[in-house]
Amino acid sequence: MSDILVSVVVISYNSGKTIKKTLDSILEQSYGSNNIELIISDDFSDDDTIDNITAWISSYGEHFFNVIFNVNDRNLGIPKNVNVAWQKATTEWIKTIAGDDFLHADCIKYYINEVKKNKGEAYFSYMQSFIEINNEIVLGNLFPDKNQVQAIKNGLKCQKKYLMRHCFSVAPSSFIKKTLLEKIGYADEDFHIVEDYPLWINIVNNDIPLKFMDQITVFYRIGESASRSNSRIINLDYCSDLMLLEKKYIIPLLHKNRITRLRKMIWSRNYKRVILLFNNKKTIISKVVLAIFNSLFKPGYLSRALRLRCE
C-alpha cells in the first residue's frame, strides 16, 4: 500500500455505453488499484448504467481497498451529485472523473509525484479530447489552451483576475484535497449544471492558488454537452446557471469598477433574452448578433478573442 491513498470519484448519468472504459482506466492505474478508493455516484440513470456498474464491481471491486456505489433516488444535478460522492471519500486526495471520460494510465502516479514535490491543494493538468468512431478512439485538441495555462501558472492574483471574466476549462483534470473542499463548502448547490466555475472562484477567494502540471492525465470525450451543441446556441439551463454565477459571484466583487459592473449587469440580464429571440438556434445571423452583444456588454469577451494574457 502507498503512503498516500486516493479516492477516485466517478459521476455517472446515462453512461451505460461508456462507463466500462472509465472504470477500466481506474482499475489499470499504474499507481495501483489497491491504493485507490473507488466511489461511484449515479444520478438516477434510466438506461443500463446501474446494471453495468453493478456487474463491473462484482467482477473487479475486490482490487480496490474500498468501493462505494451510490445511486440517487432522483436526479439531483451535477453539483449535488458530486457533493454526495465527495462527502463519502475517506482519503486525503480526490480525483473526479465523469462516466464518459477515462484516465491516463499514469494519472494518479503523476499527481502524487507532483504533490510530494510541490505542495498545493488543488491541481490541474492537460486533458486530451477525443471522439469515438466505430469503437476506435480518435484524439483531438489539448485542453486547456495555452492562455488559460499561462493564467494559472502566473499565480493567485492572475487567477482571480481571469476568473472574473472566464472559467478555466480544467474540471476533468482536477485533483483536489478533501480538506479544501470541506473548507469551501464543496460545490455550490444553488446551481444545477455548473459545478466547476463557482468552485474555482471559491478556492482562489480563499487565497488558495491553483496548481498546473504539464502532463496529460485524462481523456475528455467531445460531443453534445451542457455547454456545447451543434444546433442550439446553448443549453438554457446552463445559461441560467451562468446568469446566476454572474449575479452571485462576479458582480458583487466589481463595486469599485462601475463601468465593468454595469456591463456585466446588462449582459447577465439580457443574454438569455437575446438567445430566445432566435429560438436558441445557431444561424449566421444569431452568431453575428451575439458576437456584437458580447463585445459590447461582456467584459473579457474581446480580450479572450484576442488571447490577452494576465501579466
Side-chain angles (χ1 to χ4, degrees):
M1 296 284 282
S2 169
D3 58 334
I4 300 180
L5 303 177
V6 176
S7 297
V8 178
V9 164
V10 180
I11 303 302
S12 65
Y13 175 68
N14 287 351
S15 309
K17 295 180 179 179
T18 60
I19 191 68
K20 183 179 183 300
K21 180 179 287 294
T22 304
L23 297 174
D24 285 346
S25 74
I26 302 168
L27 175 66
E28 295 163 2
Q29 285 297 295
S30 62
Y31 191 64
S33 57
N34 58 316
N35 300 313
I36 294 174
E37 175 180 55
L38 176 63
I39 301 173
I40 308 167
S41 187
D42 184 81
D43 205 14
F44 199 58
S45 292
D46 56 15
D47 65 353
D48 58 354
T49 301
I50 296 171
D51 290 339
N52 290 347
I53 293 172
T54 300
W56 192 93
I57 291 175
S58 178
S59 297
Y60 303 107
E62 65 182 7
H63 295 280
F64 301 90
F65 83 82
N66 190 33
V67 176
I68 299 172
F69 181 27
N70 169 75
V71 179
N72 298 325
D73 59 7
R74 66 187 188 283
N75 186 266
L76 301 178
I78 297 173
K80 290 183 180 179
N81 188 35
V82 77
N83 280 349
V84 168
W86 285 344
Q87 290 168 15
K88 292 181 181 296
T90 65
T91 72
E92 182 181 15
W93 290 96
I94 298 176
K95 172 75 198 88
T96 306
I97 185 170
D100 55 357
D101 301 333
F102 64 97
L103 299 180
H104 187 286
D106 295 319
C107 172
I108 304 301
K109 182 178 74 174
Y110 285 152
Y111 274 122
I112 294 301
N113 289 341
E114 190 72 15
V115 164
K116 288 181 177 180
K117 67 182 180 181
N118 179 17
K119 291 185 178 180
E121 297 183 56
Y123 291 87
F124 305 92
S125 74
Y126 286 110
M127 51 194 188
Q128 178 84 62
S129 67
F130 75 94
I131 58 174
E132 198 164 358
I133 302 176
N134 297 325
N135 295 320
E136 292 291 330
I137 299 296
V138 179
L139 299 178
N141 296 327
L142 282 181
F143 293 92
D145 64 38
K146 61 182 181 180
N147 302 289
Q148 291 191 33
V149 171
Q150 189 62 52
I152 296 174
K153 288 185 174 182
N154 279 348
L156 185 62
K157 183 178 179 180
C158 184
Q159 293 166 14
K160 289 181 178 181
K161 181 179 178 181
Y162 190 95
L163 287 169
M164 290 298 98
R165 301 173 293 172
H166 316 291
C167 183
F168 290 123
S169 303
V170 292
S173 73
S174 66
F175 191 79
I176 301 178
K177 216 169 190 178
K178 184 177 181 182
T179 52
L180 174 57
L181 293 172
E182 293 171 339
K183 179 179 180 179
I184 64 175
Y186 295 96
D188 189 332
E189 295 187 359
D190 285 345
F191 297 84
H192 182 69
I193 295 175
V194 178
E195 89 289 358
D196 56 335
Y197 201 167
L199 195 66
W200 313 153
I201 292 175
N202 279 329
I203 290 174
V204 300
N205 283 348
N206 275 272
D207 292 327
I208 304 296
L210 309 180
K211 304 287 187 178
F212 192 85
M213 182 176 63
D214 290 320
Q215 298 280 2
I216 297 172
T217 66
V218 66
F219 294 89
Y220 170 67
R221 187 181 300 269
I222 296 293
E224 294 277 319
S225 67
S227 60
R228 59 185 289 134
S229 168
N230 293 324
S231 58
R232 63 192 177 185
I233 298 171
I234 197 170
N235 180 312
L236 292 177
D237 289 335
Y238 181 81
C239 184
S240 295
D241 270 8
L242 289 181
M243 303 304 99
L244 175 60
L245 184 135
E246 293 282 347
K247 180 180 179 180
K248 184 172 181 178
Y249 286 94
I250 308 297
I251 293 174
L253 297 177
L254 298 173
H255 56 278
K256 293 183 179 180
N257 193 329
R258 295 182 180 180
I259 294 177
T260 302
R261 180 186 176 92
L262 178 61
R263 289 177 64 200
K264 282 278 190 182
M265 291 175 66
I266 292 173
W267 183 81
S268 62
R269 292 175 182 176
N270 294 283
Y271 182 60
K272 191 171 182 178
R273 295 174 185 174
V274 176
I275 290 172
L276 291 175
L277 284 176
F278 299 98
N279 294 317
N280 199 19
K281 301 291 185 182
K282 279 186 179 178
T283 66
I284 294 175
I285 295 175
S286 68
K287 289 180 180 178
V288 170
V289 171
L290 280 168
I292 293 172
F293 178 80
N294 286 332
S295 298
L296 291 173
F297 299 114
K298 187 177 182 183
Y301 179 82
L302 285 177
S303 67
R304 185 173 187 179
L306 295 171
R307 299 180 179 274
L308 181 66
R309 299 181 183 180
C310 294
E311 299 297 337

